[in-house]
Amino acid sequence: MAEGEDVGWWRSWLQQSYQAVKEKSSEALEFMKRDLTEFTQVVQHDTACTIAATASVVKEKLAGPQNCLTPGFPSSAWRRRRGRSQSSL
């Protein structure tokens, strides 16, 4: 076997190996892109759901006791109790 044939064999093997690595890398990159896209969508969806749930709870809390939203709040009884506790200080 001549020296030129050895170089040709190595070159061919390296080119095939390089091509295989390149294909596998491209495939892995595509999987990573899809996974990242899916992860982003899940995070956006979950964040939107959490914000909606939080807004709902805050809305319920703000709409809580109706007497808090009536004119004249705090009531005179509440003011009297508060006034006594402040005057005793």
Side-chain angles (χ1 to χ4, degrees), residues 5-85:
E5 291 175 16
D6 286 340
V7 172
W9 179 84
W10 276 104
R11 182 175 292 141
S12 173
W13 181 82
L14 285 174
Q15 286 175 344
Q16 289 174 355
S17 297
Y18 173 75
Q19 189 62 32
V21 168
K22 187 176 173 182
E23 289 171 6
K24 293 291 181 182
S25 296
S26 295
E27 193 176 308
L29 182 61
E30 288 302 316
F31 280 124
M32 289 177 62
K33 285 181 182 179
R34 281 191 295 240
D35 285 348
L36 187 56
T37 299
E38 182 181 355
F39 176 75
T40 301
Q41 290 172 349
V42 168
V43 168
Q44 287 174 344
H45 177 264
D46 289 355
T47 301
C49 290
T50 301
I51 290 171
T54 302
S56 177
V57 169
V58 169
K59 184 178 178 182
E60 289 173 11
K61 294 289 183 183
L62 290 176
Q66 293 302 315
N67 64 349
C68 294
L69 302 176
T70 59
F73 181 80
S75 68
S76 57
W78 182 80
R79 279 184 262 154
R80 282 193 301 271
R81 283 194 305 268
R82 186 175 170 162
R84 272 187 283 186
S85 64

